[in-house]
């Protein structure tokens, strides 16, 4: 069962190819390999190919930020999961920026999750409520709908490999960036696993990886990583800064090493 801590950098629509290559170089210098940590970089579509050549695969894996749900065809301007198959391990699907700015519906997200799995790419399904939904007490209903629809075409075998990232929209730096308290996130994580349990049973609920995202940086990462049942973090703004992002990986590193030390005592 793969339960390594997953630290994902979502570079969003930032960095041209040479800037991305420079950032990768800096991260490579600072990040050490840890058997229980997986570091994933999600650069722009344009940059995936050159980075895939440059990358040290023992240290980093690549993710796409999006792709089209059809495998091929007359969809001008789009890139399919089929085309990304040899380049990426993961694909971020249903990010709130895609749901909000590009009006991606629950059905589109469902089809992208299915396309990703069909093409042997692990989906990283993003879910999260907006500020208004949060204030009106609709968080659980929104997450329920996003989970049930997002997983509608996923088999019980495939779901165990998947990743769900809980990113409350109000906590994302560019949407307001209110800092969520880890103690407030814990019950939501339990809720998410319970939803998976209702759909697929306890084993899947335990095995699926659940991440937190929303204004995570080198100062706050550990608080989230320590939440019971948190398998990692999805980082936006801070992932563009090599000091901050490598600091987040170091937080995970220190936490795991302290746990190892304690278990040896
Ligand atoms: P920030 O870390 O900038 O809040 O972005 C979070 C995010 O959207 C990652 O996918």
């Amino acid at each position: 069962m793969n339960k390594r801590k997953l630290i994902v950098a979502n570079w969003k629509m930032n960095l041209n190819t040479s800037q991305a290559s420079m950032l990768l170089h800096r991260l490579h210098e600072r990040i050490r390999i840890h058997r229980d940590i997986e570091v994933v970089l999600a650069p722009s579509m344009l940059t995936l190919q050159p980075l895939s050549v440059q990358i040290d695969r023992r240290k980093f894996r690549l993710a796409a930020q999006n792709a089209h749900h059809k495998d091929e065809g007359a969809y001008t301007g789009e890139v399919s999961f089929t085309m990304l198959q040899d380049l990426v391990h993961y694909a971020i699907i249903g990010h709130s920026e895609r749901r909000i700015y590009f009006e991606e519906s629950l059905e589109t997200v469902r089809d992208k999750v299915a396309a990703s799995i069909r093409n042997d790419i692990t989906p990283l399904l993003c879910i999260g409520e907006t500020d208004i939904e949060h204030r009106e007490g609709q968080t659980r209903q929104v997450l329920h709908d996003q989970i049930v629809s997002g997983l509608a075409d996923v088999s019980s075998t495939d779901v165990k490999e998947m990743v769900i990232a809980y990113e409350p929209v109000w906590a994302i730096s560019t949407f307001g960036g209110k800092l969520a308290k880890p103690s407030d996130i814990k019950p939501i994580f339990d809720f998410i696993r319970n939803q998976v349990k209702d759909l697929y049973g306890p084993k899947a609920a335990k095995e699926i990886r659940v991440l937190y995202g929303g204004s995570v940086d080198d100062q706050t990462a550990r608080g989230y990583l320590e939440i019971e049942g948190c398998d990692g973090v999805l980082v936006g703004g801070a992932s563009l800064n090599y000091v901050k992002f490598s600091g987040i990986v170091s937080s995970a590193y220190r936490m795991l090493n302290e746990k190892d030390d304690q278990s040896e005592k």
Side-chain angles (χ1 to χ4, degrees):
M1 189 174 88
N2 184 355
K3 277 298 224 181
R4 298 197 292 162
K5 291 284 179 217
L6 200 51
I7 316 287
V8 186
N10 179 5
W11 291 351
K12 305 191 180 182
M13 197 177 73
N14 294 292
L15 310 178
N16 63 26
T17 299
S18 56
Q19 290 165 330
S21 166
M22 180 58 78
L23 179 53
L24 174 64
H25 180 70
R26 295 254 183 270
L27 293 174
H28 181 70
E29 285 174 336
R30 289 188 163 236
I31 289 175
R32 285 178 294 158
I33 296 172
H34 190 296
R35 67 178 190 283
D36 294 324
I37 298 176
E38 192 179 337
V39 182
V40 178
L41 306 177
S44 76
M45 200 65 100
L46 179 71
T47 310
L48 274 172
Q49 218 284 331
L51 280 204
S52 77
V53 179
Q54 193 189 341
I55 214 155
D56 179 343
R57 285 163 200 270
R58 291 166 309 162
K59 264 190 195 175
F60 304 104
R61 282 179 161 174
L62 290 175
Q65 295 176 17
N66 178 43
H68 195 273
H69 61 278
K70 291 277 176 63
D71 289 344
E72 60 182 9
Y75 299 97
T76 301
E78 294 295 315
V79 172
S80 70
F81 290 95
T82 312
M83 293 167 172
L84 291 167
Q85 223 177 45
D86 299 333
L87 285 178
V88 302
H89 251 91
Y90 293 96
I92 298 173
I93 298 174
H95 192 281
S96 55
E97 288 150 17
R98 302 246 18 124
R99 294 185 196 256
I100 294 168
Y101 298 145
F102 301 96
E103 296 174 11
E104 279 192 9
S105 65
L106 294 174
E107 292 72 27
T108 303
V109 173
R110 173 198 67 199
D111 291 347
K112 289 188 178 193
V113 170
S116 180
I117 293 172
R118 186 166 70 238
N119 286 288
D120 294 323
I121 296 170
T122 303
L124 214 156
L125 172 65
C126 296
I127 59 171
E129 80 286 4
T130 62
D131 190 32
I132 292 179
E133 290 161 346
H134 180 65
R135 283 188 276 122
E136 292 184 348
Q138 294 169 7
T139 299
R140 283 169 171 73
Q141 186 59 49
V142 170
L143 299 182
H144 166 86
D145 294 349
Q146 291 176 342
I147 293 168
V148 171
S149 59
L151 301 182
D153 292 334
V154 179
S155 73
S156 54
T157 311
D158 290 330
V159 80
K160 293 180 197 149
E161 301 296 323
M162 271 189 66
V163 183
I164 293 181
Y166 173 53
E167 296 203 303
V169 178
W170 46 269
I172 295 177
S173 58
T174 45
F175 283 119
K178 284 189 213 146
L179 219 50
K181 283 200 228 117
S183 56
D184 291 340
I185 299 304
K186 166 80 173 87
I188 304 295
F189 270 35
D190 294 343
F191 176 80
I192 292 168
R193 284 196 198 275
N194 269 325
Q195 295 296 301
V196 177
K197 187 171 155 205
D198 289 348
L199 294 168
Y200 297 96
K203 195 161 186 291
K206 201 166 163 218
E207 290 190 15
I208 195 166
R209 286 168 290 169
V210 184
L211 312 185
Y212 179 73
S215 298
V216 176
D217 65 15
D218 49 337
Q219 305 300 311
T220 58
R222 180 140 181 186
Y224 299 116
L225 288 167
E226 279 182 341
I227 302 172
E228 195 195 330
C230 177
D231 297 308
V233 284
L234 176 54
V235 187
S239 73
L240 295 167
N241 177 314
Y242 68 90
V243 177
K244 289 187 181 174
F245 188 67
S246 57
I248 294 169
V249 180
S250 301
S251 296
Y253 205 103
R254 274 196 301 278
M255 187 181 93
L256 293 171
N257 284 348
E258 283 167 25
K259 285 205 170 121
D260 280 352
D261 287 350
Q262 276 161 13
S263 61
E264 277 167 20
K265 279 180 193 157

